Amino acid sequence: RWFEEAGPLQLLRILRLSRMARVVRLMAAFPELQILIRGITMARKSVLCTLMLLVIIVYTFAVAFTLLTRDTEVGRRFFNKVPDSMNTLIWNGVLGENLPVVANALGAESIFLGGLLLTFVLLASLTVMNMLIGVLVEVVSVVARLEKETSFVNFITARLEAVVRLIDPVFEGQITRQTFVLMLSNPEALTVLNEVGVDVVSLVDCSDFIFDRQGAVDFSDFMDAIVQLRGSNTATVKHVVDLRKCLIQEFARLEHLLHDQKLSATSVDTSGEKQRSRRPSAAAHSVGIPTISQAAAALL
């Protein structure tokens, strides 16, 4: 009937309300709204679990109130059946709508019923609902921190890439050691590194590990190394394990170099000198002296 009375013109006016969907475009101008929505989306599982716990508590107390208030005036008014009891507890106990009316009615009927309602309010309204708020606040704060970190890293990456392109006009996504040295002499690059919180002197000392005996590395890998070298970062077990692997590799490389130098030195000696140099080596192997890499692995 309403459809017939409205007519086509009224329907067209209603369709004009679809223009309100343009409000969604405004979210791009307000990153805080995106953070809130993304946080609520990520917290959906925790929110559902909390709501399920609330439903279980409401149902348990609803059954109790329905049985305890049977054949009473307050029972016929508020707790006639289990659905009526759940409705009363949700609106009056959890949300606090006309809570004093229900509390006074139960208290006039029995002090035990009044105390039971107070227990429900403390458990459902004050505990579970505040728990739900705490979950949302925690998730939103984590999402906001990650979004802020991502935005900051992207901003710094864009500025460093612009500096690298000024230094190397043929930049194709890889940064060489020479470009890295020239970048450290650029005031703009030093300002960006200081804003990130990277110690330039320590960065120079770690250049061998960043390039790892390679002529060039991807710019994304270079930025990952820059972000990991910030002074505000907290050391984790992963960093300790990476340090252990790096030390073992360096000790193994040092052992290999010493072995090569020993072979090159013994190759120019006489045969008698070779035999005298082998005797302490054989004696050392006979007593089981560990190699440098084995000793490093045992210590680490």
Side-chain angles (χ1 to χ4, degrees), residues 111-137:
I111 298 179
F112 173 74
L113 293 177
L116 188 61
L117 179 63
L118 179 61
T119 304
F120 172 78
V121 172
L122 292 176
L123 185 61
S125 181
L126 298 181
T127 303
V128 178
M129 294 302 292
N130 288 327
M131 186 192 308
L132 178 61
I133 295 174
V135 169
L136 289 175
V137 170

Side-chain angles (χ1 to χ4, degrees), residues 26-90:
L26 296 177
M27 293 180 59
F30 297 96
E32 291 79 7
L33 292 177
Q34 298 180 5
I35 291 174
L36 288 175
I37 295 175
R38 190 174 293 109
I40 294 174
T41 303
M42 293 180 62
R44 61 185 182 275
K45 185 176 181 180
S46 300
V47 170
L48 289 177
C49 293
T50 307
L51 293 178
M52 288 178 61
L53 177 61
L54 180 62
V55 170
I56 292 173
I57 294 174
V58 170
Y59 178 77
T60 302
F61 278 86
V63 173
F65 277 111
T66 302
L67 296 176
L68 295 174
T69 59
R70 183 177 296 175
D71 299 332
T72 60
E73 180 63 26
V74 67
R76 288 188 292 269
R77 183 180 177 185
F78 297 107
F79 306 101
N80 190 20
K81 296 180 180 179
V82 174
D84 298 333
S85 300
M86 294 182 65
N87 183 58
T88 301
L89 292 176
I90 290 174

Side-chain angles (χ1 to χ4, degrees), residues 137-254:
V137 170
E138 181 65 23
V139 173
V140 171
S141 63
V142 171
V143 172
R145 186 166 59 251
L146 292 177
E147 289 292 329
K148 182 179 179 180
E149 180 74 11
T150 303
S151 300
F152 180 73
V153 171
N154 291 336
F155 175 71
I156 295 301
T157 301
R159 293 181 62 181
L160 278 181
E161 185 176 355
V163 173
V164 172
R165 289 186 181 278
L166 290 177
I167 297 174
D168 187 6
V170 294
F171 174 72
E172 296 181 354
Q174 286 190 336
I175 180 171
T176 60
R177 188 183 293 269
Q178 292 77 11
T179 305
F180 173 72
V181 173
L182 294 176
M183 185 184 69
L184 294 180
S185 61
N186 188 285
E188 177 68 18
L190 295 179
T191 302
V192 173
L193 293 175
N194 289 327
E195 292 179 359
V196 177
V198 176
D199 188 3
V200 179
V201 178
S202 301
L203 181 61
V204 174
D205 295 335
C206 296
S207 60
D208 293 335
F209 300 98
I210 295 176
F211 291 93
D212 194 17
R213 298 183 297 276
Q214 296 179 2
V217 295
D218 293 336
F219 188 74
S220 58
D221 297 336
F222 175 76
M223 286 306 305
D224 291 339
I226 292 295
V227 172
Q228 291 179 3
L229 290 176
R230 289 187 300 176
S232 59
N233 291 343
T234 304
T236 60
V237 177
K238 179 179 180 298
H239 298 117
V240 177
V241 173
D242 292 340
L243 176 61
R244 180 178 181 273
K245 292 180 179 179
C246 180
L247 289 177
I248 292 177
Q249 291 176 359
E250 290 301 318
F251 278 121
R253 186 169 66 89
L254 179 60

